[in-house]
Amino acid sequence: MSFRVPQNIPDLSTSARSLEDYVYSKTSEILGSNGSTFGTRAKDELPMFKDKPIGASYSEQRSKNRRRALVCIVALLIGIVFFSYRVSSDKNGENTTGVGNSGGAWFSLRGKNVWKERQEMVRQAFLESWNGYEQHAFGKDIYAPISKSGKNMGPDGLGWIIVDCIDTMMIMKLDDQVKVARDWIANNLTYDMDYSVNTFETTIRMLGGLLSAHFLSNYDDVYLEKAVDLANRLIGAFDTPSGIPYASVNLGTSEPKRSHADQGSSSTAEAASLQLEFKYLSKLTGEAMYWEKAEKVIEVIDKNNAVDGLVPIFINADTGRFHGNQIRLGSRGDSYYEYLLKMYLQTNNQEPVYRNMYDESMDGVKKRLIQKSKPSGFTFVAELDNGIDGPLSPKMDHLVCFLPGNLALGATEGRPLQVAQRLSWSLRQASDMKLARELTKTCMEMYKVSETGIAPEIVYFNTEDHNAPDIKIKAMDAHNLQRPETVESLFIMWRITKDPIYREWGWQIFEAFYKYARLEDGSGYTSLGNVKKIPAVRRDDMESFWLAETLKYLYLLFEDDDSILDLEKVVFNTEAHPFAKFNMAPLFRTGWARPLKTNGVAK
């Protein structure tokens, strides 16, 4: 059951245009600005042959010929130097591309396409992780690769690992493993149990995983039937006085349950990160209830009139009002901002209310949260522990590293950067892309600063002392949970910009995981207790999102074919499950509108 792009999604690309774009970009890189041989084309330089008149003057043609000759000579010299270096490296036994220098490799990367070979190594890492799980804990929700055991979270398996990662198998063309997973889902998976689950986690992982599997399998109804059954059990979480879902819901009775913490409030991010899944299900089934329940949440949140679009991380599901005033883009805040943009993209830009909310919030981030570290000037996103006018905290979760990829998506709407710039390019778009690049670099620094080359869960930035390091890792924050946010942004940044540094950074991250998180007996990869210590301090746990997100994004980062899950045609949920974009007509529309505002306050 190999994955292929479903045929009813239009392909607007042409091979001729792709070649033209490639030649255009490469010529720009070689010639550079002001006719120089190397460098990037100056921002104010005239476009090249695409937008010029067909004819060219004799003097222009002679100039072109001279430049071409110069380029050919330089290219020949580079080729000679490169060939000599490779021959010398081979004689000396150097390994310039493999993971042999950091823990050994399955094979030496000496083929013509290094990135295909690196992609295959990611695929093998997935297989190793999956095979360990299948051998020692198949059907269980939690896998402990060191003790080689598993357990369920409830009375029966929820498919926490199987459902979450089956779409990764489809993308990697692991047909045998897909068949095993599908058979278990069809014959063993049931949600008919007296057990309360987290509304958000079950929606993004299980409902999202089933819907994505349905999409990537070319619409196998087994997955949709399970998704509808699960959604009908989860929908009870929205039955609250305000429409804000409770944190938990009983699968057997569909009874909503308040959080046991935070005075019963729901997490703002969790309440506002269910919309892609339920609205997509509405489109597939024609059932408006899912759509209406999901969009109501955003309307209620918006009525709170958050200053500069920055929302506190808790909201009371009974009153619909924010609880507390803590603001951050890390845990409990992150995917609220992610889904504002993605709701707009999901319906092919037909719901501008979400774009407006997203732009407002990103303006607020730039105005109030963006800071620079000392002494190196790394850009980071601070937190407001005591409300919008309180002092900033220089703390940044790894979770925040979704943001650079999201900013790039917002600036280009998934198009290649050069295409987006030619179509339309505003100061806002340029600002968002600049911030995306800076934050991606910062997120990579969070890996480089540790002894293992793996990022901790949380870091603190130095904003005062020029003689101290930029980044500090506290002992209680030094663990790593195999999180995907940085490689997610690297994948998006590579697809949009084609800057090779993002692939190189992704490879460095994979090498570090291979060296320090991989179990030598091949039973899987583990979380780490302390990224600052060598030998690695391993935890007896392998997260489902290691398979569902981290390895998926790394695999796609090393994929050369951009038509595989084209960012102009699909949208990824916050668990890396891709859904097809769609038009709302004729059944659906945005059921609410923002009130007019005067001086930022709703009338």
Side-chain angles (χ1 to χ4, degrees):
M1 193 182 300
S2 296
F3 155 68
R4 60 191 179 91
V5 177
Q7 296 303 305
N8 61 342
I9 296 180
D11 183 2
L12 303 180
S13 65
T14 66
S15 57
R17 181 57 183 264
S18 298
L19 178 61
E20 188 182 23
D21 285 341
Y22 177 80
V23 172
Y24 178 82
S25 64
K26 292 302 178 186
T27 309
S28 299
E29 292 171 7
I30 294 172
L31 293 181
S33 61
N34 303 320
S36 63
T37 306
F38 297 108
T40 58
R41 182 169 62 88
K43 192 167 55 175
D44 56 350
E45 185 180 349
L46 287 173
M48 298 191 67
F49 62 87
K50 286 188 175 185
D51 302 311
K52 282 190 176 181
I54 295 176
S57 69
Y58 176 72
S59 60
E60 288 172 335
Q61 189 61 47
R62 290 184 62 190
S63 176
K64 287 181 182 177
N65 291 338
R66 286 196 298 269
R67 289 200 299 270
R68 287 187 187 125
L70 180 59
V71 168
C72 290
I73 293 170
V74 172
L76 179 61
L77 292 173
I78 291 173
I80 292 170
V81 172
F82 178 73
F83 178 76
S84 300
Y85 171 76
R86 289 301 298 266
V87 170
S88 174
S89 297
D90 288 342
K91 287 181 179 179
N92 295 328
E94 294 178 8
N95 181 358
T96 59
T97 55
V99 298
N101 296 328
S102 57
W106 293 294
F107 50 83
S108 176
L109 299 182
R110 287 296 185 184
K112 292 181 179 180
N113 190 334
V114 169
W115 293 110
K116 270 297 176 190
E117 294 179 349
R118 289 177 173 181
Q119 185 186 51
E120 178 58 25
M121 294 189 72
V122 173
R123 187 173 182 265
Q124 291 299 321
F126 179 94
L127 272 173
E128 201 167 38
S129 302
W130 170 262
N131 290 341
Y133 167 72
E134 186 178 13
Q135 180 179 354
H136 302 296
F138 186 69
K140 303 296 185 182
D141 297 324
I142 298 170
Y143 174 43
I146 296 176
S147 60
K148 299 175 176 55
S149 61
K151 63 181 180 180
N152 287 325
M153 297 186 294
D156 294 305
L158 297 168
W160 209 251
I161 291 177
I162 296 173
V163 173
D164 208 12
C165 76
I166 189 172
D167 61 352
T168 307
M169 299 179 200
M170 292 176 177
I171 292 167
M172 293 182 176
K173 298 182 173 62
L174 299 173
D175 295 354
D176 293 341
Q177 288 74 18
V178 169
K179 183 181 185 304
V180 169
R182 184 194 182 279
D183 288 347
W184 186 88
I185 290 169
N187 301 316
N188 298 92
L189 179 60
T190 177
Y191 293 110
D192 186 13
M193 63 181 79
D194 183 16
Y195 180 67
S196 293
V197 296
N198 179 277
T199 306
F200 164 73
E201 296 288 357
T202 308
T203 298
I204 65 167
R205 300 189 196 211
M206 300 299 95
L207 184 58
L210 290 166
L211 292 173
S212 179
H214 176 255
F215 167 49
L216 298 182
S217 65
N218 218 24
Y219 308 113
D220 184 340
D221 283 342
V222 165
Y223 304 113
L224 183 58
E225 290 166 3
K226 295 291 184 180
V228 170
D229 175 66
L230 176 58
N232 289 339
R233 298 171 186 277
L234 294 173
I235 203 70
F238 295 86
D239 292 336
T240 67
S242 71
I244 297 292
Y246 282 151
S248 302
V249 60
N250 185 286
L251 289 176
T253 65
S254 199
E255 178 185 358
K257 294 185 177 294
R258 293 180 178 85
S259 171
H260 297 299
D262 308 307
Q263 298 181 21
S265 293
S266 297
S267 157
T268 305
E270 292 186 3
S273 303
L274 315 168
Q275 287 66 29
L276 295 183
E277 297 79 5
F278 279 99
K279 292 173 76 174
Y280 186 57
L281 185 59
S282 281
K283 182 64 177 180
L284 293 175
T285 63
E287 176 54 66
M289 173 184 63
Y290 307 128
W291 183 290
E292 293 165 356
K293 296 275 190 181
E295 73 173 2
K296 177 68 174 177
V297 175
I298 310 301
E299 180 184 13
V300 172
I301 291 174
D302 191 55
K303 286 182 177 178
N304 281 267
N305 295 316
V307 177
D308 292 331
L310 302 178
V311 298
I313 62 174
F314 293 107
I315 188 167
N316 187 301
D318 293 327
T319 65
R321 306 301 297 172
F322 290 133
H323 174 73
N325 59 5
Q326 189 175 9
I327 295 169
R328 63 179 180 232
L329 270 73
S331 62
R332 302 186 181 276
D334 50 358
S335 51
Y336 165 75
Y337 304 96
E338 176 187 359
Y339 270 38
L340 288 181
L341 173 66
K342 290 183 176 179
M343 281 187 286
Y344 169 73
L345 298 177
Q346 182 182 42
T347 54
N348 285 318
N349 307 355
Q350 294 171 349
E351 298 186 275
V353 62
Y354 301 121
R355 179 80 215 201
N356 293 339
M357 293 178 69
Y358 169 77
D359 287 340
E360 179 183 315
S361 66
M362 290 303 100
D363 288 346
V365 168
K366 295 173 190 176
K367 175 182 176 181
R368 296 182 179 270
L369 302 182
I370 294 299
Q371 299 290 301
K372 296 282 188 178
S373 70
K374 293 180 180 179
S376 303
F378 297 130
T379 302
F380 69 95
V381 184
E383 298 183 358
L384 289 166
D385 291 334
N386 297 296
I388 196 73
D389 295 318
L392 288 167
S393 166
K395 168 178 170 285
M396 182 167 148
D397 296 357
H398 185 276
L399 288 166
V400 180
C401 289
F402 84 94
L403 185 59
N406 221 58
L407 284 163
L409 273 180
T412 66
E413 297 181 354
R415 302 182 185 94
L417 180 59
Q418 289 185 342
V419 174
Q421 288 173 329
R422 288 197 296 272
L423 289 175
S424 163
W425 199 244
S426 65
L427 290 175
R428 180 191 297 280
Q429 289 170 289
S431 172
D432 284 357
M433 276 305 304
K434 179 177 182 293
L435 182 56
R437 290 181 186 275
E438 292 174 358
L439 288 174
T440 306
K441 181 179 180 181
T442 298
C443 289
M444 190 61 204
E445 289 297 326
M446 292 167 65
Y447 285 78
K448 293 179 178 180
V449 76
S450 81
E451 283 73 3
T452 59
I454 297 175
E457 182 75 356
I458 297 168
V459 300
Y460 287 80
F461 287 89
N462 168 31
T463 59
E464 298 178 356
D465 187 353
H466 280 282
N467 297 315
D470 288 83
I471 298 174
K472 179 180 179 181
I473 303 172
K474 296 184 178 181
M476 64 189 309
D477 304 323
H479 54 288
N480 175 277
L481 300 179
Q482 304 171 296
R483 289 200 184 276
E485 289 77 21
T486 295
V487 294
E488 172 187 1
S489 284
L490 291 175
F491 158 63
I492 295 170
M493 293 295 287
W494 159 251
R495 278 282 182 94
I496 288 173
T497 70
K498 292 301 177 185
D499 187 334
I501 191 62
Y502 300 122
R503 275 183 155 182
E504 294 294 347
W505 286 346
W507 179 244
Q508 291 173 27
I509 290 172
F510 177 77
E511 282 190 300
F513 277 122
Y514 181 86
K515 184 173 183 179
Y516 294 108
R518 177 178 178 265
L519 295 176
E520 289 76 7
D521 62 5
S523 57
Y525 286 67
T526 73
S527 301
L528 297 182
N530 191 332
V531 299
K532 299 176 66 177
K533 289 188 177 181
I534 298 176
V537 180
R538 290 169 175 158
R539 291 180 168 182
D540 195 10
D541 177 58
M542 187 176 79
E543 295 285 351
S544 74
F545 48 72
W546 166 250
L547 301 169
E549 299 188 74
T550 306
L551 291 177
K552 180 187 294 168
Y553 281 129
L554 282 168
Y555 184 86
L556 291 172
L557 173 62
F558 302 149
E559 173 58 58
D560 291 327
D561 185 356
D562 288 358
S563 71
I564 302 295
L565 299 175
D566 187 336
L567 294 178
E568 294 186 67
K569 297 179 181 178
V570 303
V571 60
F572 288 83
N573 85 338
T574 196
E575 189 74 7
H577 296 308
F579 308 146
K581 293 182 181 180
F582 59 85
N583 294 320
M584 293 190 292
L587 295 180
F588 302 103
R589 62 180 180 83
T590 309
W592 68 285
R594 301 187 84 184
L596 296 175
K597 292 186 177 182
T598 302
N599 296 325
V601 179
K603 291 182 179 180

